[in-house]
Every structure is written in C-alpha cells, then in structure tokens.
Amino acid sequence: MKLKARLLLVEDDSYIATLLAAHLGQGGLSVMSARSIESAGRQLEQHDFHLVLLDLGLPDGDGKDLIRSIRRTSDTPIIVISARQQEQEKVQCLDLGADDYLAKPFGMDELMARVRVALRHASVMQLRERQVRVGELLVDLQQEKVSLAGAEVHLTRIESRLLLLLAQVPGRVVTHRQLLQEVWGPEYIDHTHYLRIHMGRLRGKIETEPANPRYVRTEPGVGYRLSEN
Ligand code: CA
C-alpha cells in the first residue's frame, strides 16, 4: 500500500476507540474518529475514507442506519464491530451492505486481517480484476469460466452464478438473502433449501472433500464465503 489508507472509526466507548486507533495507526492506517452517527455523517461529508469501522450501539442511534445512508451513495468498505452476537444482527448488517462483521471482543490480529481483506477488495473493485484464484481453483469473472488444477469445470448456470457471486468478493460472506435474490429473484429470498441443494452440487464438482470444503465455506445461519488465497 503506497498511500496511507484513511479509516473512519465510529465508536462511542472512548477506551476501545483509543485502543483501536493506536493499533490501526501502528498498522499504517490514518485514523479519524467519530463518537456518534451525527459526527460520523459530518466526517463522511468532509473526507474520503477507504474504510469505515462501525460500532452499532451509538448514543444517537443504531449504526445500521449509518450503513444504510453510506450505501445510498458509496461503496466504501464497512466493517461492523459490535458486542451484539446474534446471527440476525449480523445478517441484517451484511444485507444492508456491510462488508464484514466482527463480534467484540476480538483480537487485534483478527481486526488487522479483516481490515486488509476489506482494503484489498476495495482496490480489486477499482482494478476490476478479471480472475480470482484460490488454491487450484481459478474463476474467470469476465468469461464466466471455472477451472480446477487447469481443467475446465462444467457447471450449470445456477452453480456458475453462485460461484461467480462469491468470487467477486473472495473471503467475504455473501448472505443467503443476497444469493437467493441475485440468482432466483426477490420472491425467493426465503428458499434457503435451494442454496443447500445447489451449493452441494457445486461442491461436488470443485471440492475434493465436499463434506469438508476447502473453497466454498459455510457461515452457519448467515451465508457462504469463498476462501481467500
Ligand atoms: Ca457502543
């Protein structure tokens, strides 16, 4: 990373905010802080950020409202950092367009790893990368072709669309709802059994051990993610 990535940290707990800002700063990021939704909104108007780290329980509202308002105008990666552990909360944030969700308490190494993934995705999106490689799996996003150890894998249209959706954001969870909506349409967002069936078939074609998948990982109750290289 040549330019310092600029990060907005939205966290009202001053002890956590100070700790995080120190670590992120040591990790080479330039950190600005906001303690409320209102102050975050102001900072976002005044500066361009490469990444937003967002707590949900804020004094003037729910951080989810901020995800919603950021996504109306920008693709800036958002990582939610929250003490709320419920799966439902996580799913809602991801469905609203957050890129990742880290439950407190978390380790600094874990945080830095997620930050790097999010920043890499942001630059991948800018470069419009055409191919994604994970281990021996190669997904060509442009030509919509998939190969494993150099041999083309023949996928059905549905299997291929599912894999391409995951491959657009390697390492990041894509929720059940997002996958169902993209592949089958908005009226199918509750048909999670479709996903189980077709992901099972997809794994049968690309995984050596479909029961212990190396490429397409299950995030229980939330969605699926393609492993990173
Ligand atoms: Ca809080």
Side-chain angles (χ1 to χ4, degrees):
M1 214 178 308
K2 287 195 188 100
L3 281 171
K4 257 195 174 185
R6 198 192 343 243
L7 178 147
L8 178 63
L9 173 61
V10 190
E11 167 65 79
D12 61 323
D13 182 314
S14 55
Y15 173 73
I16 298 179
T18 309
L19 194 72
L20 290 180
H23 275 274
L24 293 160
Q26 280 165 23
L29 291 119
S30 150
V31 182
M32 297 182 82
S33 294
R35 300 283 160 87
S36 65
I37 292 182
E38 200 226 328
S39 132
R42 246 192 341 260
Q43 306 248 42
L44 285 159
E45 269 174 30
Q46 290 166 4
H47 307 279
D48 282 328
F49 291 98
H50 299 98
L51 180 66
V52 178
L53 275 190
L54 176 64
D55 179 31
L56 294 181
L58 293 163
D60 56 346
D62 190 315
K64 287 200 289 294
D65 295 333
L66 194 59
I67 303 178
R68 218 172 267 125
S69 82
I70 292 174
R71 280 294 168 265
R72 268 185 228 124
T73 54
S74 106
D75 288 331
T76 308
I78 302 170
I79 300 179
V80 174
I81 44 168
S82 174
R84 299 180 191 166
Q85 301 277 1
Q86 302 95 323
E87 232 161 51
Q88 199 47 36
E89 195 75 37
K90 186 171 177 180
V91 170
Q92 281 174 11
C93 289
L94 296 169
D95 277 337
L96 285 171
D99 296 71
D100 208 342
Y101 191 105
L102 209 48
K104 290 177 189 167
F106 47 78
M108 288 301 148
D109 289 347
E110 178 71 11
L111 174 66
M112 288 312 296
R114 305 286 188 102
V115 163
R116 279 192 294 271
V117 168
L119 290 173
R120 197 160 65 230
H121 283 157
S123 62
V124 163
M125 277 191 280
Q126 281 160 16
L127 294 171
R128 295 178 191 279
E129 197 133 323
R130 297 167 57 176
Q131 292 192 331
V132 175
R133 178 184 286 282
V134 185
E136 300 201 291
L137 182 72
L138 182 69
V139 182
D140 189 317
L141 295 169
Q142 209 85 357
Q143 298 190 40
E144 306 196 351
K145 282 190 174 165
V146 177
S147 64
L148 193 63
E152 190 174 342
V153 182
H154 296 283
L155 299 176
T156 63
R157 173 141 185 80
I158 286 176
E159 291 157 5
S160 157
R161 292 200 61 196
L162 288 171
L163 183 58
L164 287 165
L165 286 167
L166 299 179
Q168 283 167 11
V169 286
R172 184 175 130 187
V173 185
V174 184
T175 65
H176 295 144
R177 186 195 179 94
Q178 290 164 341
L179 290 167
L180 288 161
Q181 179 156 336
E182 284 296 322
V183 177
W184 284 276
E187 60 276 34
Y188 291 92
I189 51 172
D190 294 323
H191 293 47
T192 42
H193 60 285
Y194 283 18
L195 289 175
R196 270 198 305 280
I197 294 167
H198 292 276
M199 286 296 189
R201 291 180 185 154
L202 171 62
R203 282 173 171 154
K205 294 180 182 178
I206 62 171
E207 303 280 359
T208 338
E209 282 182 78
N212 183 21
R214 174 178 170 204
Y215 299 121
V216 176
R217 306 286 181 94
T218 298
E219 190 84 5
V222 180
Y224 296 87
R225 72 164 91 215
L226 185 68
S227 298
E228 295 165 75
N229 216 356

